[in-house]
Amino acid sequence: MAADVTRDNLEESNGGEEQVITPWEVSAKDGGRIDYDKLILQFGCQKLEESLVKRVERLTGKPAHPFLRRGVFFAHREFDKILDNYEKGQKFYLYTGRGPSSESLHLGHLVPFLFTKYLQDAFKVPLVIQLTDDEKCMWKNITVEESRRLARENAKDIIACGFDVSRTFIFCDFDYVGGNFYQNMIRIAKCVTLNQVRGIFGFTGEDHIGKVSFPAVQAAPSFPTSFPHLFGDSKDVHCLIPCAIDQDPYFRMTRDVAPRIGFHKPALIESLFFPALQGESGKMSASDPNSAIYVTDSPKDIKNKINKYAFSGGGATIEEHRKHGANLEVDVPVKYLSFFLESDEELAKIKEEYGAGRMLTGEVKLRLIDVLGKMVDRHQKARAAVTDEMVDAFMAVRPLPQMFS
Amino acid sequence: MAADVTRDNLEESNGGEEQVITPWEVSAKDGGRIDYDKLILQFGCQKLEESLVKRVERLTGKPAHPFLRRGVFFAHREFDKILDNYEKGQKFYLYTGRGPSSESLHLGHLVPFLFTKYLQDAFKVPLVIQLTDDEKCMWKNITVEESRRLARENAKDIIACGFDVSRTFIFCDFDYVGGNFYQNMIRIAKCVTLNQVRGIFGFTGEDHIGKVSFPAVQAAPSFPTSFPHLFGDSKDVHCLIPCAIDQDPYFRMTRDVAPRIGFHKPALIESLFFPALQGESGKMSASDPNSAIYVTDSPKDIKNKINKYAFSGGGATIEEHRKHGANLEVDVPVKYLSFFLESDEELAKIKEEYGAGRMLTGEVKLRLIDVLGKMVDRHQKARAAVTDEMVDAFMAVRPLPQMFS
């Protein structure tokens, strides 16, 4: 559905049927790899250059997150302007979110949250997290009740990422939409025609009217007055949105609308997709449990999934591997380590040794099993410690005790 | 915009281009009179028969309102079922509303409220009144702030109609949409496709997405769980909607959706349009101040407007008039008296004398000036007594002290 229109856009910019990236579909050309450089051109965002990463380190006085150093967050829209303003003492807030479609998150879901937590800690700024239970209720055809329950379950996983309750407001649309937020939804909706959302998102006449107007719901948190308990009626606070690049269409629309209703355009910092175990042709899929490592997986699950499903770029035989080395461009274990191995040195060493054929796939997988096992164990312990009272505290509509300090 | 599609419907049912009735457009064939019998066929509602009026009198132990006795409320959907249930002791609530597009109401605007007040008093039932400030902000392109201000001003005129605060909840969408109400909006929106609203309301690609999803906002108050402070989570309370017949498309859609999401279909009791001073070809128009008597008009305004603009069915000369009498079918003063003159006897007498040419237009107008002058004076006094505190009391989200007694 969404594909047709995105394909049209691609034809315009690339002259052929190629990769399709929308909030609901990610598919690379011929099942191959996603060409992110091309995606930057298609979407019209900017590449996140090394110089910006250095600037972040200088401004925050902290080493950049591995996701920044290693290009996981690889694209942006006016992130440089956010830093300009920050340097001048002007404030911003972070906005990210999740559509609570499944009981438990996979590692790909954690990426924006882990990165957002780093940004929050480094810049000491407030954060709003939108759980679009309304969206999932509409797209996945689950009941309102089930969608709200999933949102609360997902909130626990998000809180387990270590967010600071004194700087973080988490909300579900079904609970929070109303008042100033609803007023901003209407202000936004007034600026976006049916033809425009058909062009951006590919809606058709068979889609229901809730879907058609949902983009205004996802846009509204980009504007500070949607949160009067945080920002009063101030329109001057800028917004920075960390997200995977498939969400870019929503915020392209939002940025187009913003100046027409007196708001700053939200800035974006956008990540690659976390690849499926089977390879990089798409995102992990909640519908195929063997395509992803879940935060609820046991050590045995993790070991089995990686050994059985993680696509290897190694040689077909040991002899071949020793001779030609591994193809790191397609090797999933190396990609996963690039996301989650802490030490830059060890990562470089593994890539070198494995790429040269001196290290075997089995050895790399063993290291990955260890890294993910520890990470998932840490998450499970943190998640088990999240009480309903803590969820209530994060979701309370309240002024935040700490804002910009 | 809306016309095309409604015309399609008409072609199906009537085989020709005829009257166009939508929530935004009312135009009769060739500028002539609206054929309400045909409209009942087009819309698929029922004629409100004399036997139902008698039944209302029997059940309530009160004389029927003149609007009922005289066929101002002339059509319905399952009003008989509401009465069946009422007889068995099953409860219902009333839902009506207004789009606050102008500072002051005209007499046509008062019709549904005066009738709703009668129903509330006669049946002793709770009432919700929706002020669609969001709709007007979107359709009239006024700001959110201005639309909210108008809603509050209009609420004062509505309260001045004499509603019982212990049984009445008035709300503005911009303030009230959220929580259970928003959840019902999404439940409704999921059941209505873009093609369907294009068919019912005639939206086009140039319309903005707020308009496209608005029908779900107007539908939501038809379901009791949109008001948890009144009905808790009970789905068993039936809803009766008094409104002008141009609102029928919204509630046809709502009735289609209701059983699919586990609610009773709302019942409707629908009125004629209150004609413009210039004649019955359409509704009064807020954009032409001389087409209507406003509740803010002075006695002098009323006198001038009626004398100058009220379309007369009288003869062109006194001689002709004495000879042929007045054409009561097109005479606006008689129509206005049919709405607002209290005494059935006097009304019958005027019709007889005027129709026979024994009474002159000037005399009928004089009587109308007196009736409307007193009515508007009474309204203005009542309105002046409505304080901001009273508005707050009606709009407070609270259980109603009196519900079904």
Side-chain angles (χ1 to χ4, degrees):
Chain A
M1 165 186 71
D4 292 341
V5 169
T6 311
R7 211 167 272 144
D8 285 347
N9 296 343
L10 289 167
E11 280 169 0
E12 281 169 26
S13 54
N14 299 317
E17 292 214 356
E18 304 233 348
Q19 53 192 2
V20 173
I21 315 288
T22 77
W24 309 284
E25 183 182 4
V26 175
S27 68
K29 187 185 177 183
D30 304 326
R33 285 185 297 136
I34 290 157
D35 186 333
Y36 285 106
D37 287 334
K38 204 166 259 181
L39 200 55
I40 284 176
L41 285 174
Q42 288 168 217
F43 280 5
C45 43
Q46 282 80 48
K47 200 172 158 66
L48 204 154
E49 304 287 354
E50 180 68 17
S51 58
L52 268 184
V53 179
K54 291 287 168 225
R55 203 170 160 210
V56 168
E57 295 194 322
R58 214 166 51 239
L59 284 173
T60 62
K62 291 196 173 90
H65 192 279
F67 290 168
L68 260 186
R69 296 201 305 270
R70 298 174 193 166
V72 169
F73 279 78
F74 73 106
H76 75 102
R77 289 179 187 270
E78 293 193 314
F79 181 50
D80 50 339
K81 204 172 152 188
I82 290 282
L83 297 183
D84 290 347
N85 290 333
Y86 185 77
E87 205 158 11
K88 284 186 251 166
Q90 278 179 40
K91 313 303 186 190
F92 71 95
Y93 70 100
L94 293 161
Y95 156 38
T96 192
R98 165 167 172 72
S101 59
S102 59
E103 191 81 31
S104 64
L105 281 66
H106 59 57
L107 297 185
H109 292 140
L110 291 187
V111 169
F113 292 111
L114 295 172
F115 187 63
T116 300
K117 176 181 156 38
Y118 150 75
L119 290 174
Q120 181 182 53
D121 291 347
F123 287 98
K124 306 221 177 303
V125 287
L127 160 66
V128 297
I129 300 178
Q130 179 181 43
L131 299 172
T132 54
D133 46 7
D134 51 350
E135 177 199 11
K136 289 304 165 181
C137 168
M138 292 192 285
W139 261 267
K140 299 279 170 183
N141 203 20
I142 54 178
T143 64
V144 169
E145 291 73 15
E146 175 64 0
S147 198
R148 291 180 71 198
R149 190 186 68 76
L150 290 174
R152 242 185 115 83
E153 286 306 303
N154 284 191
K156 291 181 183 171
D157 280 298
I158 292 166
I159 292 168
C161 293
F163 289 106
D164 178 353
V165 69
S166 70
R167 298 183 201 279
T168 307
F169 172 54
I170 303 179
F171 65 98
C172 303
D173 290 340
F174 275 138
D175 291 330
Y176 186 68
V177 165
N180 293 44
F181 191 98
Y182 180 63
Q183 290 165 28
N184 278 343
M185 277 165 55
I186 297 294
R187 288 185 178 100
I188 295 160
K190 276 178 76 171
C191 296
V192 182
T193 67
L194 199 43
N195 283 339
Q196 286 171 322
V197 292
R198 292 176 75 128
I200 301 169
F201 301 102
F203 297 131
T204 74
E206 283 77 45
D207 280 311
H208 58 65
I209 58 173
K211 287 187 181 183
V212 170
S213 59
F214 176 74
V217 183
Q218 182 148 337
S222 311
F223 303 134
T225 60
S226 294
F227 307 100
H229 56 291
L230 303 183
F231 308 111
D233 58 3
S234 168
K235 291 183 160 189
D236 273 342
V237 194
H238 286 259
C239 175
L240 173 64
I241 305 171
C243 62
I245 193 147
D246 61 333
Q247 300 297 302
D248 191 81
Y250 281 117
F251 300 116
R252 252 181 286 159
M253 184 202 87
T254 309
R255 286 170 53 86
D256 176 60
V257 166
R260 298 167 59 193
I261 55 175
F263 290 109
H264 296 299
K265 293 182 178 190
L268 292 164
I269 183 163
E270 301 177 308
S271 77
L272 309 173
F273 303 117
F274 190 73
L277 280 167
Q278 287 76 3
E280 211 209 2
S281 62
K283 282 200 293 187
M284 284 175 160
S285 161
S287 54
D288 176 8
N290 287 325
S291 72
I293 308 288
Y294 288 88
V295 296
T296 45
D297 281 348
S298 69
K300 202 176 147 195
D301 293 332
I302 295 172
K303 189 178 159 190
N304 285 344
K305 283 187 185 179
I306 290 172
N307 282 332
K308 197 162 169 191
Y309 299 108
F311 186 82
S312 168
T317 64
I318 292 201
E319 292 68 33
E320 237 180 78
H321 185 71
R322 293 292 186 204
K323 193 170 166 193
H324 300 296
N327 178 355
L328 302 183
E329 291 298 303
V330 300
D331 190 90
V332 167
V334 161
K335 284 191 183 294
Y336 278 28
L337 286 172
S338 302
F339 276 81
F340 295 123
L341 187 66
E342 268 182 38
S343 158
D344 289 347
E345 292 71 32
E346 190 186 353
L347 181 65
K349 183 116 192 285
I350 289 173
K351 283 181 167 178
E352 199 192 315
E353 296 295 302
Y354 188 42
R358 289 187 296 271
M359 202 169 172
L360 298 176
T361 294
E363 295 171 273
V364 178
K365 285 191 169 180
L366 201 66
R367 185 67 185 111
L368 179 63
I369 289 164
D370 177 59
V371 167
L372 296 191
K374 281 179 179 147
M375 182 178 153
V376 167
D377 179 63
R378 206 162 47 231
H379 183 87
Q380 289 176 359
K381 288 201 170 78
R383 211 245 188 224
V386 177
T387 62
D388 277 314
E389 289 69 31
M390 284 165 72
V391 176
D392 292 340
F394 273 94
M395 297 185 85
V397 178
R398 70 207 189 275
L400 291 174
Q402 292 210 63
M403 289 285 280
F404 302 105
S405 58
Chain B
M1 167 186 74
D4 291 339
V5 169
T6 311
R7 212 165 274 144
D8 285 349
N9 296 343
L10 288 168
E11 279 168 3
E12 281 168 28
S13 54
N14 297 316
E17 294 213 355
E18 302 234 352
Q19 54 192 2
V20 173
I21 316 288
T22 75
W24 308 285
E25 183 182 1
V26 175
S27 67
K29 188 185 176 180
D30 306 327
R33 282 187 299 136
I34 291 158
D35 185 334
Y36 285 106
D37 286 333
K38 203 166 261 181
L39 200 54
I40 283 176
L41 285 174
Q42 287 168 218
F43 281 3
C45 41
Q46 283 80 46
K47 201 172 158 70
L48 204 154
E49 304 286 354
E50 180 66 18
S51 58
L52 269 183
V53 178
K54 292 284 167 229
R55 199 165 164 216
V56 168
E57 294 193 323
R58 211 166 53 240
L59 284 173
T60 62
K62 293 199 172 87
H65 192 279
F67 290 167
L68 261 185
R69 296 200 306 269
R70 298 174 193 166
V72 169
F73 279 78
F74 74 107
H76 75 101
R77 291 179 186 269
E78 293 193 312
F79 180 50
D80 51 339
K81 204 170 153 190
I82 289 281
L83 297 183
D84 289 347
N85 290 333
Y86 184 80
E87 204 157 12
K88 285 186 249 161
Q90 279 178 38
K91 313 301 185 189
F92 71 93
Y93 70 100
L94 293 161
Y95 155 38
T96 192
R98 163 165 174 72
S101 60
S102 59
E103 191 80 32
S104 64
L105 281 65
H106 58 57
L107 297 185
H109 293 140
L110 291 188
V111 168
F113 292 111
L114 294 172
F115 187 63
T116 301
K117 175 181 156 40
Y118 150 75
L119 290 175
Q120 181 182 53
D121 291 346
F123 288 98
K124 305 223 179 301
V125 287
L127 161 65
V128 298
I129 300 177
Q130 179 181 44
L131 299 172
T132 54
D133 46 7
D134 51 351
E135 177 199 12
K136 289 305 167 181
C137 168
M138 293 193 285
W139 260 267
K140 298 281 172 182
N141 203 21
I142 56 178
T143 63
V144 170
E145 290 73 17
E146 175 64 1
S147 198
R148 294 179 69 200
R149 190 186 69 75
L150 289 174
R152 243 186 114 82
E153 286 307 304
N154 284 190
K156 291 181 183 171
D157 281 297
I158 292 166
I159 292 168
C161 292
F163 290 105
D164 178 353
V165 70
S166 70
R167 299 185 200 276
T168 307
F169 172 54
I170 303 179
F171 65 99
C172 302
D173 290 340
F174 275 137
D175 291 331
Y176 186 68
V177 165
N180 293 42
F181 191 97
Y182 180 62
Q183 290 165 29
N184 278 342
M185 276 165 55
I186 297 293
R187 288 185 178 101
I188 296 159
K190 276 178 77 171
C191 297
V192 183
T193 66
L194 199 43
N195 282 340
Q196 286 171 321
V197 291
R198 292 176 73 128
I200 300 168
F201 301 102
F203 298 130
T204 72
E206 282 78 45
D207 279 313
H208 58 65
I209 58 173
K211 287 187 181 182
V212 169
S213 59
F214 177 74
V217 183
Q218 183 149 336
S222 310
F223 303 134
T225 60
S226 295
F227 307 99
H229 56 290
L230 304 183
F231 308 111
D233 57 3
S234 167
K235 291 182 161 190
D236 273 343
V237 193
H238 287 258
C239 176
L240 172 64
I241 306 172
C243 61
I245 194 149
D246 62 334
Q247 300 298 301
D248 190 80
Y250 281 116
F251 301 116
R252 252 181 286 160
M253 184 201 86
T254 308
R255 286 171 52 86
D256 176 60
V257 166
R260 299 167 59 193
I261 55 175
F263 290 109
H264 296 299
K265 293 182 179 192
L268 292 165
I269 182 161
E270 301 176 309
S271 76
L272 310 173
F273 303 116
F274 190 74
L277 279 167
Q278 285 75 5
E280 211 210 1
S281 62
K283 282 198 296 189
M284 282 175 162
S285 161
S287 54
D288 175 8
N290 287 325
S291 72
I293 308 287
Y294 289 88
V295 296
T296 46
D297 280 348
S298 68
K300 202 176 147 196
D301 293 332
I302 296 172
K303 188 178 161 192
N304 285 345
K305 283 186 185 179
I306 291 173
N307 282 332
K308 197 164 169 189
Y309 299 108
F311 186 83
S312 166
T317 63
I318 292 199
E319 291 67 36
E320 238 178 79
H321 184 73
R322 294 289 186 207
K323 190 169 170 193
H324 302 294
N327 179 354
L328 301 184
E329 290 298 304
V330 299
D331 189 89
V332 168
V334 162
K335 285 191 183 292
Y336 278 26
L337 285 171
S338 301
F339 276 80
F340 296 121
L341 187 65
E342 269 182 40
S343 156
D344 289 347
E345 292 70 33
E346 190 185 353
L347 182 64
K349 180 113 196 284
I350 288 174
K351 282 181 168 180
E352 198 191 317
E353 296 296 300
Y354 187 41
R358 288 188 294 274
M359 202 171 172
L360 298 176
T361 294
E363 295 171 274
V364 179
K365 285 190 170 182
L366 202 64
R367 184 68 184 109
L368 180 63
I369 289 164
D370 177 59
V371 167
L372 296 191
K374 278 179 182 147
M375 181 180 156
V376 167
D377 180 62
R378 205 162 48 234
H379 183 86
Q380 288 175 359
K381 287 202 172 78
R383 208 239 190 228
V386 177
T387 62
D388 278 311
E389 289 68 32
M390 284 164 73
V391 177
D392 293 340
F394 273 94
M395 298 186 84
V397 179
R398 68 207 190 276
L400 291 175
Q402 292 208 64
M403 289 283 281
F404 301 105
S405 58

